[in-house]
Amino acid sequence: MGPFEHPQQSYYAATANPFERLPALSGSVTADVCVVGGGFTGLSAALHLAERGYKVVLLEQARIGWGASGRNGGQINLGLRKGPEELLAAFGEFRAKLLFNMSEEARQLIQDRVARHGIACDLKPGTLHVASKPRDQHWMEEEVACLENVYGYKGTRFLDRQQTRAELGSDIFHAGVRDSGGGHLHPLNYAQGLALAAIAAGATLHEQSAVTRIEKGAVNRVVTADGVVQAKYVVLGCNAYLGDLEPQIAGKIMPIANFIIGTEPLSDNEAKDAITHDVCVCDTKFVVSYWRLSADKRILFGGGERYNTRPPSDIGAFVQPYLARVYPQFAHKRIDYGWGGMLAITASRLPHFGRMGNIFFAHGYSGQGVATTGLAGKLIAEALAGSAERFDVFSAIRHQTFPGGTLLRHPLLVAAMLWYALRDRL
């Protein structure tokens, strides 16, 4: 299996819907827009732009959904990585509500696309956010009240410890917030469904077409090893895999590694004990653990700390202790799958949207990208077509460059993450 194929030990790759390989770019072609990246951001941008009548060519260095879009936890969680009260403190009520309402639009976009295009991706409703520490109970209660009283959102319900235990077969959590919105899905199948929808709308997609450079001008030249796309507009949807392609924005994000395991299938009773209402779950630790049931009743569990880009030699053995801490009754379960990949965070944990001339970009979703990526593609299409007001709600957010830029950002992040990991344990 080559480096640009889906990881062999991924549950998502093993259960992906049939998807024919797309040809690599060859020769010179022209387009209105060249999209770089075949993940959720690029696919959403390509689809929305093609639906508006633009001639779109998308270039993916590997396979559609090869990066974080095809490897993530599949969770469609509430809001952005900053909570509703943090948004109020940072931006004031008017802008906070704009950001929150668009994050809800992002979740609805998934529902709409799945229904409209008949995407078979095991979409299920409901999320559960659980308190890892006793003190989390207080702010969770306040957050539910804030969502209802300030934002007008009535989909969440605070759960005390006993109610949380009734939702989840684990005794270690102190409280929870159940959200009837959002849910979870098979992310690779969703990505492939978006790709087929974009093709049906008229976009041209190429796999195995890594972009080596972008020659900027009135007409941009997007260059691969075997071809070039000439386009007035470029959309960068590379996220953690941006590399050195655009140095002006590379220092605003930090690529970090993430790992997930899939157990053997549970019995119906075991699955009911694990997650009573089949919602997706994440905890409140800084180094987040998150999990859900697959369509065939496996526990798909992500967690653990690792501060370099190299995967552990045995991902199953690396993540399994975190699963066993939550579910000691399932500690003996066989681990059938273990895979990892890269995601990108920003210093603020809010996504970084922007424009450099006729080059648009969106990245740095900080673990909250399943829904926000789709919104990013939609807003980029709006802005490119001349209506940038909504795009600018996000592009106006100021982002720090990680100290030391791309050279020193990683060792400094390691120091910070070790500190927060220690706080999790204490």
Side-chain angles (χ1 to χ4, degrees):
M1 187 68 67
F4 287 148
E5 299 294 333
H6 293 296
Q8 272 186 314
Q9 293 303 312
S10 162
Y11 170 79
Y12 300 136
T15 57
N17 297 328
F19 186 82
E20 291 188 13
R21 288 179 178 273
L22 302 174
L25 177 69
S26 179
S28 180
V29 300
T30 61
D32 299 318
V33 187
C34 180
V35 177
V36 183
F40 291 153
T41 301
L43 293 168
S44 175
L47 176 53
H48 281 97
L49 287 163
E51 289 176 336
R52 286 174 172 265
Y54 288 91
K55 183 179 180 182
V56 180
V57 173
L58 181 148
L59 304 176
E60 163 56 43
Q61 70 169 339
R63 303 296 311 281
I64 292 298
W66 177 82
S69 296
R71 308 186 192 207
N72 63 74
Q75 301 203 1
I76 311 165
N77 288 313
L78 177 71
L80 300 167
R81 188 65 189 269
K82 281 189 180 295
E85 293 182 301
E86 290 179 291
L87 290 178
L88 286 172
F91 301 109
E93 185 172 333
F94 180 74
R95 285 187 66 199
K97 285 182 175 180
L98 286 177
L99 289 165
F100 179 82
N101 289 339
M102 282 196 280
S103 74
E104 277 301 286
E105 178 184 345
R107 299 207 293 181
Q108 187 59 46
L109 269 174
I110 294 176
Q111 302 281 345
D112 294 346
R113 288 299 184 188
V114 168
R116 179 176 174 184
H117 303 293
I119 301 174
C121 60
D122 305 328
L123 180 61
K124 301 176 184 178
T127 73
L128 178 62
H129 195 194
V130 290
S132 300
K133 304 180 182 71
R135 65 176 179 268
D136 294 334
Q137 176 175 335
H138 179 66
W139 67 255
M140 283 184 154
E141 289 183 282
E142 290 186 337
E143 183 170 281
V144 170
C146 178
L147 284 166
E148 182 168 351
N149 298 329
V150 179
Y151 294 88
Y153 182 78
K154 302 181 186 299
T156 56
R157 181 167 65 94
F158 175 78
L159 307 177
D160 62 22
R161 183 166 194 152
Q162 184 176 356
Q163 291 168 321
T164 301
R165 178 60 182 87
E167 292 277 343
L168 199 63
S170 178
D171 293 318
I172 68 172
F173 300 106
H174 303 274
V177 175
R178 173 78 185 273
D179 176 32
S180 59
H184 53 108
L185 49 65
H186 187 303
L188 180 55
N189 280 338
Y190 180 59
Q192 292 178 169
L194 289 178
L196 294 174
I199 292 168
T204 301
L205 278 57
H206 295 284
E207 296 181 315
Q208 305 296 339
S209 300
V211 174
T212 56
R213 67 184 186 276
I214 299 173
E215 299 172 358
K216 300 172 185 175
V219 176
N220 297 290
R221 287 170 46 85
V222 184
V223 182
T224 73
D226 298 311
V228 60
V229 179
Q230 300 183 72
K232 180 178 180 180
Y233 299 101
V234 176
V235 175
L236 296 177
C238 307
N239 205 38
Y241 298 92
L242 178 67
D244 298 323
L245 189 59
E246 185 42 76
Q248 290 187 59
I249 58 174
K252 303 292 187 183
I253 58 172
M254 172 76 69
I256 62 173
N258 189 251
F259 305 100
I260 306 177
I261 58 174
T263 68
E264 62 181 297
L266 306 183
S267 69
D268 289 347
N269 287 339
E270 288 174 326
K272 193 78 170 176
D273 177 46
I275 306 175
T276 304
H277 294 105
D278 201 8
V279 299
C280 63
V281 190
C282 65
D283 66 20
T284 59
K285 298 198 306 293
F286 184 84
V287 182
V288 176
S289 291
Y290 53 93
W291 60 99
R292 64 191 187 90
L293 294 171
S294 65
D296 56 356
K297 296 185 173 62
R298 302 172 188 271
I299 299 178
L300 304 182
F301 192 99
E305 306 150 18
R306 195 167 179 88
Y307 308 118
N308 59 53
T309 59
R310 296 186 303 277
S313 58
D314 186 338
I315 292 174
F318 176 74
V319 179
Q320 194 275 343
Y322 298 92
L323 166 66
R325 179 177 177 272
V326 174
Y327 293 120
Q329 68 270 40
F330 300 136
H332 65 285
K333 291 296 182 183
R334 186 180 68 245
I335 305 301
D336 286 347
Y337 299 96
W339 71 99
M342 304 298 294
L343 67 146
I345 64 173
T346 63
S348 69
R349 299 302 190 269
L350 291 172
H352 183 210
F353 290 20
R355 177 178 185 176
M356 300 170 291
N358 284 337
I359 299 178
F360 294 82
F361 63 87
H363 58 186
Y365 302 100
S366 303
Q368 198 84 338
V370 174
T372 315
T373 44
L375 177 73
K378 182 179 181 179
L379 298 185
I380 286 171
E382 290 177 4
L384 192 150
S387 180
E389 292 89 349
R390 283 159 34 93
F391 179 82
D392 287 343
V393 173
F394 280 92
S395 68
I397 298 172
R398 299 184 64 179
H399 287 273
Q400 298 177 357
T401 299
F402 277 93
T406 57
L407 181 63
L408 296 178
R409 62 184 176 178
H410 189 265
L412 290 171
L413 177 76
V414 169
M417 293 290 279
L418 286 170
W419 163 245
Y420 281 110
L422 177 62
R423 288 182 59 187
D424 281 346
R425 293 189 181 95
L426 295 176

